[in-house]
Amino acid sequence: MKKILIVEDDRALVQILEIFLKSKGYAVDKAFDGIEAVKKINATLPDIILLDINLPKMSGFEVARKAKENEKTKNIPIIMITALGQDENIKRGYEIGCEDYIIKPFNLEQLTLKIAKFLSVRS
Amino acid sequence: MKLKNYRAYWIGCFVMLVVTLFMLTAVLGAEVTEPERSPYMVYLTDFIEKEILKKILFISILTLAVISLINWIVFILHKIYIEKRKEKLKILEDYFLENVFLPFFSTQKLPQFQLKTSLEFEAFSNCINSIINNITGNLLLLLPELLKKSGLIEYYKKLSNSKNYLIKLEAYERLGFLKSYELKDFFIEKLEKEDDYYIKLQLLWNLSVIADEDLLKTIINTLNRDFETLSLKFVESLFFNIINSLRSSAKESEYIKTLEEIYRDTTIKQDIIKSMIEACGDAHLYQAKDVILKYYKTYNSLKTVCFRALGKLNIPEVCEILPDAFNDESWVLRATAVRYAYLCENGLSILEKALHDLNFYVRKSAAMALLNLGEGALIFIQNMINKTTDRYAKEIAEFVLRRILKNA
């Protein structure tokens, strides 16, 4: 079963994503702040990361940078979750090495398609 | 209760007690020596006995100490109350998500629940806000049924009549987050009756997220009529919301039509027009490029904002006006123009000139634009450093070179 790590501080969104992605057959792990995210990425080596940019304790960019600098985790695809009208975030995310982005509010079906695309490329 | 959360309070309390004790000991133990009397001074001891005066001083310090102590205790209790409330809210949010929202979304059968306390309404409202702000698609079509069953709208409508300003503002804020078009008339009615500046702004925000072509005009007229001073950033966010709301019903052209209509209307405040134009850039409203160009060519005072909006749209038309903007006497416009020079073929020559500009901010803007070009600008910068005799241009080019090499 493919493992997805959701990094997001909005508990409601995490819960909805968790239920939705589990219904699609994925295993889901979650982190609510940047530091917890880095620990979980290194410990569990997820197949894909859904990463919010505005996180407590450590920003999403920092989390992505740490993941991409680590030999073990650098190939894990990262999909950034960002708000509408924050083009700078997208640009910066790509510079760090994030693979894709999704803008809030987003469609769950479209998100699943993106996840499936990256996972099929990876496998 | 975590002790570390209250450390600052306890330390403050302790310091205050020590200071009070010190002062009291000083007052009680002080041996007052009579100062040399001056004929020009009036002394308290002429009217009140020394011992009584000492007692008054003692009681005053003690009273102040007791008041401060009570203050500190109230602070701590309040902090504990807030933290406990936050915890309860989190528990309730999780409960509603697990037992109401998620079962409803998966089975589409309305679960049995009833909201009673203010905390329950708050938690339920937080869950709905989170879903509305983060997710689109079919899921949202189910929300009206849940809203109806919860009685959330009625509850906050009732609270919006409160005499307490904060309760009222929060009620409007929560109603606004629902982005429900059915609340349109309610908000308009309240906007007409309301006098408070901030509540009016909140009502405008609420209308902006559900805006249609009529509401766009209502918002512009209200902003123009009722507000002497406006925060440009706030008004820009209103128009950004309006564009997105119109876009969701494929009516963005109404926004452009309105921009066209007010083109020669001198009664509309320029700050409103500026915000409208700026919002086009932020919301990537490409269809607005012609009308923005028209504004650019007509109004000098709007040139900077027009250029920035066109730059954010990332369109080649920027290059048509780049030389004009770069040669303008306003350094603000020059600095803005330079930032988007990379969109044009002659961008590098403009950036080269900009590095020699007499204004520091224009040179800085050029440096930032070169940084954005990254390694692609390396040869250009190296040539610049080698051939220029302008000390400032050389310094800034060297700065850019260092930054690019560091990032590489």
Side-chain angles (χ1 to χ4, degrees):
Chain A
M1 200 186 265
K2 297 284 183 191
K3 202 165 33 183
I4 300 173
L5 175 66
I6 306 169
V7 188
E8 165 71 62
D9 59 335
D10 186 330
R11 301 170 70 84
L13 178 61
V14 173
Q15 285 227 34
I16 289 169
L17 283 174
E18 186 183 3
I19 299 283
F20 184 76
L21 293 171
K22 274 183 178 168
S23 75
K24 298 282 171 187
Y26 297 112
V28 174
D29 199 0
K30 50 206 176 178
F32 297 100
D33 63 62
I35 294 175
E36 190 187 356
V38 174
K39 280 182 193 159
K40 287 209 167 165
I41 292 169
N42 293 328
T44 62
L45 299 176
D47 293 290
I48 194 162
I49 303 167
L50 295 181
L51 178 65
D52 186 26
I53 299 300
N54 299 316
L55 290 170
K57 295 184 186 173
M58 186 191 282
S59 86
F61 294 124
E62 201 54 36
V63 175
R65 198 185 339 268
K66 283 188 188 288
K68 293 295 173 191
E69 278 170 4
N70 187 336
E71 270 302 310
K72 275 202 289 186
T73 57
K74 69 176 185 187
N75 292 324
I76 301 173
I78 297 177
I79 300 178
M80 287 179 286
I81 304 173
T82 180
L84 188 67
Q86 295 184 339
D87 299 357
E88 280 301 309
N89 281 352
I90 298 168
K91 195 178 157 214
R92 215 174 137 194
Y94 276 132
E95 280 168 4
I96 292 169
C98 293
E99 276 71 12
D100 206 343
Y101 67 91
I102 193 150
I103 293 174
K104 283 181 191 174
F106 54 81
N107 190 312
L108 291 173
E109 295 297 338
Q110 283 171 6
L111 175 68
T112 324
L113 287 176
K114 281 197 181 202
I115 291 172
K117 184 185 87 181
F118 281 109
L119 291 179
S120 66
V121 170
R122 228 186 156 211
S123 59
Chain B
M1 190 169 107
K2 289 176 189 166
L3 185 68
K4 66 172 184 178
N5 291 354
Y6 304 96
R7 200 179 291 150
Y9 291 87
W10 292 123
I11 291 172
C13 209
F14 178 73
V15 170
M16 195 208 70
L17 275 173
V18 170
V19 170
T20 312
L21 281 175
F22 177 76
M23 284 170 80
L24 288 176
T25 331
V27 170
L28 286 173
E31 275 186 31
V32 183
T33 48
E34 197 74 36
E36 207 174 299
R37 289 188 72 86
S38 158
Y40 308 108
M41 298 280 282
V42 178
Y43 293 90
L44 264 179
T45 43
D46 293 346
F47 308 103
I48 311 167
E49 271 183 39
K50 257 190 227 167
E51 280 310 308
I52 297 174
L53 206 59
K54 210 171 174 181
K55 274 181 190 163
I56 291 174
L57 196 60
F58 179 78
I59 291 167
S60 308
I61 293 173
L62 202 65
T63 316
L64 274 176
V66 170
I67 291 171
S68 305
L69 199 66
I70 293 170
N71 236 336
W72 281 105
I73 291 167
V74 170
F75 276 150
I76 293 169
L77 290 178
H78 185 255
K79 193 170 162 60
I80 293 170
Y81 166 74
I82 296 286
E83 286 193 357
K84 290 272 174 216
R85 193 178 185 281
K86 215 172 149 187
E87 271 172 32
K88 274 189 201 164
L89 198 67
K90 215 189 241 177
I91 293 167
L92 277 172
E93 281 172 20
D94 286 348
Y95 173 81
F96 286 133
L97 279 167
E98 275 170 33
N99 299 297
V100 178
F101 286 89
L102 298 174
F104 181 55
F105 289 153
S106 52
T107 62
Q108 301 195 6
K109 278 182 194 158
L110 213 53
Q112 282 304 315
F113 71 97
Q114 201 182 359
L115 305 180
K116 285 178 190 161
T117 63
S118 63
L119 208 63
E120 284 174 358
F121 277 103
E122 196 177 326
F124 197 84
S125 157
N126 286 351
C127 293
I128 291 207
N129 292 346
S130 183
I131 293 166
I132 292 175
N133 286 323
N134 293 315
I135 291 165
T136 56
N138 294 338
L139 216 62
L140 294 190
L141 299 176
L142 298 169
L143 284 184
E145 212 178 328
L146 260 183
L147 268 174
K148 204 175 160 191
K149 161 101 178 137
S150 67
L152 196 78
I153 292 183
E154 285 68 33
Y155 176 76
Y156 282 115
K157 267 187 177 177
K158 211 169 129 190
L159 281 192
S160 72
N161 293 321
S162 167
K163 283 180 183 166
N164 183 321
Y165 168 77
L166 289 175
I167 293 176
K168 197 172 173 178
L169 188 65
E170 196 193 336
Y172 282 129
E173 199 177 60
R174 289 191 176 270
L175 286 172
F177 283 145
L178 298 175
K179 297 182 183 173
S180 167
Y181 192 75
E182 284 167 23
L183 287 166
K184 176 187 163 185
D185 293 333
F186 171 76
F187 289 146
I188 291 177
E189 189 198 322
K190 293 285 181 181
L191 186 66
E192 280 162 11
K193 287 181 187 164
E194 191 58 58
D195 292 325
D196 185 89
Y197 178 85
Y198 292 102
I199 289 185
K200 278 187 101 146
L201 288 182
Q202 181 60 51
L203 285 164
L204 282 174
W205 191 92
N206 294 357
L207 287 170
S208 75
V209 290
I210 52 168
D212 55 14
E213 55 271 42
D214 295 333
L215 276 180
L216 169 62
K217 291 194 173 86
T218 309
I219 292 170
I220 293 174
N221 290 335
T222 313
L223 285 171
N224 203 38
R225 188 190 58 220
D226 297 354
F227 294 89
E228 282 300 316
T229 52
L230 286 164
S231 146
L232 281 184
K233 216 59 202 162
F234 176 77
V235 183
E236 194 187 313
S237 73
L238 286 184
F239 288 114
F240 180 81
N241 290 342
I242 292 171
I243 294 173
N244 285 321
S245 174
L246 289 169
R247 190 176 267 157
S248 63
S249 50
K251 283 183 179 167
E252 309 97 296
S253 56
E254 293 299 327
Y255 189 88
I256 296 154
K257 215 168 98 187
T258 310
L259 259 178
E260 292 269 12
E261 279 168 15
I262 58 174
Y263 175 62
R264 291 281 179 206
D265 189 344
T266 49
T267 60
I268 304 285
K269 286 176 193 147
Q270 277 228 333
D271 281 354
I272 296 174
I273 299 173
K274 270 185 189 173
S275 304
M276 282 184 83
I277 293 171
E278 194 93 62
C280 291
D282 288 331
H284 297 162
L285 189 63
Y286 296 101
Q287 302 96 309
K289 64 176 184 185
D290 292 331
V291 67
I292 298 176
L293 272 170
K294 210 160 106 179
Y295 272 100
Y296 177 90
K297 285 169 186 166
T298 316
Y299 298 103
N300 270 338
S301 54
L302 295 176
K303 275 187 167 181
T304 305
V305 80
C306 288
F307 198 97
R308 192 160 47 232
L310 291 168
K312 282 180 186 168
L313 291 179
N314 239 329
I315 48 170
E317 279 81 353
V318 168
C319 307
E320 286 174 24
I321 51 172
L322 182 64
D324 171 72
F326 183 65
N327 291 315
D328 198 275
E329 59 183 28
S330 155
W331 68 263
V332 184
L333 179 57
R334 292 204 303 280
T336 309
V338 164
R339 207 183 306 162
Y340 298 100
Y342 69 91
L343 291 170
C344 312
E345 271 182 29
N346 59 343
L348 275 180
S349 66
I350 297 269
L351 285 176
E352 187 177 358
K353 282 182 203 159
L355 285 175
H356 294 281
D357 199 285
L358 288 176
N359 185 287
F360 167 76
Y361 294 100
V362 179
R363 294 200 300 273
K364 187 181 161 200
S365 193
M368 291 303 152
L370 283 168
L371 269 177
N372 279 338
L373 290 176
E375 290 175 51
L378 270 180
I379 298 171
F380 165 79
I381 296 166
Q382 200 60 63
N383 284 341
M384 175 97 191
I385 292 169
N386 292 340
K387 73 179 183 191
T388 188
T389 50
D390 179 342
R391 186 186 131 199
Y392 296 112
K394 194 171 181 168
E395 270 176 13
I396 212 145
E398 281 170 347
F399 160 77
V400 175
L401 183 68
R402 278 197 302 274
R403 287 283 293 269
I404 291 177
L405 291 175
K406 194 182 161 194
N407 292 340

